Amino acid sequence: MLPLHDSSHRRLNVLTGEWVLISPHRAQRPWQGQVERAQEQREPAYDPSCYLCPGNTRARGERNPSYSSTFVFDNDYPALHPEPVEAAMAESPLIVAQGERGICRVGCFSPRHNLTLAGMELGEIVAVIEMWRQQFADLGERDFINYVQIFENRGTMMGASNSHPHCQLWGSYSIPNEPAKEQTSQRDYMESYQRCLLCEYIRLERSYGDRVIFQNESFLVVVPFWAVWPFETLILPFQHTADLSGITGAQSDQLAEVLQKLSACYDRLFNTPFPYSMGFHQQPTDGEAHPEWHLHAHFFPPLLRSAGIRKFMVGFELLGTPQRDITPEAAAERLRELCA
Ligand SMILES: [Zn+2]
Ligand SMILES: [Zn+2]
Ligand SMILES: [Zn+2]
């Protein structure tokens, strides 16, 4: 048996088909990071200079309504435009490009500038989930949108330019790289074993238990076996469903509970508003049947040892394979204690 807790090894990310290098012995090397005090940064409930707050004017002159729950608008500087574009350019098999269309929207979680998922009431998070469901349906039904990516960047470390809690909703013609890899893996697994990859993975993680952070009636939260980021997590619905439209009202309440609890645990980990990128992976909206797809959410937080010490993807990771020192099991243990 490979001693996963104390010898270098590679683990396979079965969703993407990529490997991660794990070097547990390096976690015991002398402490090199600095311990810093988390800086207390209080945000106001309303910021007159914020382009997401109710009633404020955005960069291109549009004025936000005095919204009282969630609020969605088309991004003023979108990465994709809905107008048709030239299909492809292939002057040589080595110089290849494709036109890309889409719609990019921004979704505010609440009118309150300083209200994060961890601090929201469950009913308020349910409203955010409802916004995600509606946006997935609205964007996905357009014939030129084959994939809808919902994501949140939190914290300046993750490039969030505005601290007002919000997400982005990008509908694109092409299926983006990460869900495309996951689709291939899920499809291959279903063809080989006649069952769903993630349904089976959930069963295994529940039986092992050492990477489980917590669960409720409908969802499991784990540090995945193949996690690259130190405190990366995966939220998995027990029920096999391909996208958020398959979530019932009761499951929506359960998902709200999971999001609130996990965000609060993260904030407690280094006593700081925890930065992360999170998002849902769902079936494409390409009109085809996708029995292989199992809805899930990823949290990718960059912090490693304290509020100021983050993991960088550099050197061997950029040129070779992503690597981590603390094992996913040790990270899960730490998060489990904080969530208890
Ligand atoms: Zn604001
Ligand atoms: Zn499944
Ligand atoms: Zn995924």
Side-chain angles (χ1 to χ4, degrees):
M1 181 80 179
L2 184 62
L4 295 179
H5 61 282
D6 68 357
S7 72
S8 295
H9 61 278
R10 298 203 301 162
R11 294 189 188 187
L12 179 63
N13 180 337
V14 294
L15 273 175
T16 61
E18 291 165 353
W19 295 86
V20 52
L21 177 63
I22 305 198
S23 317
H25 55 282
R26 292 184 73 204
Q28 284 138 36
R29 77 199 146 137
W31 183 264
Q32 286 166 351
Q34 294 158 297
V35 180
E36 322 167 26
R37 277 196 62 78
Q39 55 208 118
E40 195 66 21
Q41 209 183 25
R42 288 236 174 270
E43 295 278 355
Y46 168 76
D47 176 352
S49 69
C50 167
Y51 66 87
L52 300 177
C53 276
N56 289 359
T57 304
R58 300 204 303 272
R60 295 202 151 171
E62 265 200 78
R63 198 182 176 87
N64 294 332
S66 297
Y67 64 96
S68 57
S69 177
T70 58
F71 168 55
V72 177
F73 61 92
D74 284 341
N75 196 319
D76 295 310
Y77 299 98
L80 295 167
H81 293 275
E83 295 78 28
V85 286
E86 285 292 318
M89 176 187 107
E91 293 176 1
S92 144
L94 302 182
I95 308 289
V96 179
Q98 286 179 346
E100 182 66 6
R101 300 167 71 180
I103 296 177
C104 298
R105 291 180 176 160
V106 176
C108 299
F109 290 173
S110 114
R112 275 184 51 195
H113 184 79
N114 58 359
L115 190 58
T116 62
L117 285 176
M120 288 172 97
E121 302 285 336
L122 288 180
E124 293 170 320
I125 302 178
V126 168
V128 173
I129 296 168
E130 192 50 38
M131 168 181 80
W132 290 334
R133 285 156 56 104
Q134 283 172 9
Q135 289 299 316
F136 177 78
D138 182 65
L139 292 167
E141 74 181 13
R142 288 154 210 255
D143 58 0
F144 67 96
I145 289 186
N146 295 315
Y147 195 81
V148 179
Q149 184 60 57
I150 298 169
F151 64 97
E152 179 195 4
N153 286 331
R154 184 184 178 201
T156 48
M157 203 176 263
M158 295 313 280
S161 52
N162 189 315
S163 60
H164 192 128
H166 68 285
C167 66
Q168 301 195 51
L169 312 129
W170 290 25
S172 58
Y173 179 78
S174 302
I175 300 179
N177 296 349
E178 295 304 312
K181 284 183 268 185
E182 294 189 355
Q183 173 157 304
T184 301
S185 301
Q186 291 177 99
R187 187 181 282 162
D188 289 352
Y189 187 88
M190 186 159 268
E191 276 172 17
S192 301
Y193 300 97
Q194 285 76 51
R195 53 186 166 193
C196 164
L197 185 156
L198 283 176
C199 282
E200 180 62 8
Y201 179 66
I202 289 168
R203 192 188 68 73
L204 288 170
E205 286 294 18
R206 292 179 94 180
S207 72
Y208 284 109
D210 56 349
R211 283 173 295 276
V212 173
I213 302 170
F214 64 87
Q215 53 190 308
N216 61 21
E217 265 172 59
S218 308
F219 293 89
L220 178 72
V221 184
V222 297
V223 176
F225 181 72
W226 53 80
V228 165
W229 296 93
F231 295 96
E232 176 179 338
T233 52
L234 193 57
I235 300 176
L236 297 152
F238 293 134
Q239 180 196 293
H240 181 84
T241 177
D243 61 50
L244 284 167
S245 70
I247 295 284
T248 65
Q251 288 166 342
S252 192
D253 295 347
Q254 304 261 313
L255 179 57
E257 181 189 273
V258 162
L259 290 168
Q260 185 196 55
K261 189 171 174 177
L262 182 59
S263 320
C265 298
Y266 273 147
D267 287 351
R268 282 201 293 275
L269 184 59
F270 296 127
N271 194 25
T272 190
F274 210 66
Y276 58 74
S277 278
M278 73 81 75
F280 289 88
H281 278 152
Q282 315 187 62
Q283 69 173 333
T285 54
D286 55 3
E288 317 225 330
H290 289 286
E292 75 278 17
W293 260 101
H294 191 122
L295 165 74
H296 57 277
H298 296 275
F299 271 80
F300 298 120
L303 292 183
L304 179 61
R305 286 197 209 98
S306 73
I309 300 179
R310 59 162 298 169
K311 174 183 178 64
F312 286 98
M313 289 283 241
V314 294
F316 189 77
E317 322 212 87
L318 204 52
L319 290 149
T321 297
Q323 184 267 342
R324 62 181 292 147
D325 298 345
I326 173 179
T327 62
E329 293 74 31
E333 192 180 348
R334 186 87 197 278
L335 285 171
R336 196 160 47 234
E337 286 165 10
L338 286 164
C339 289

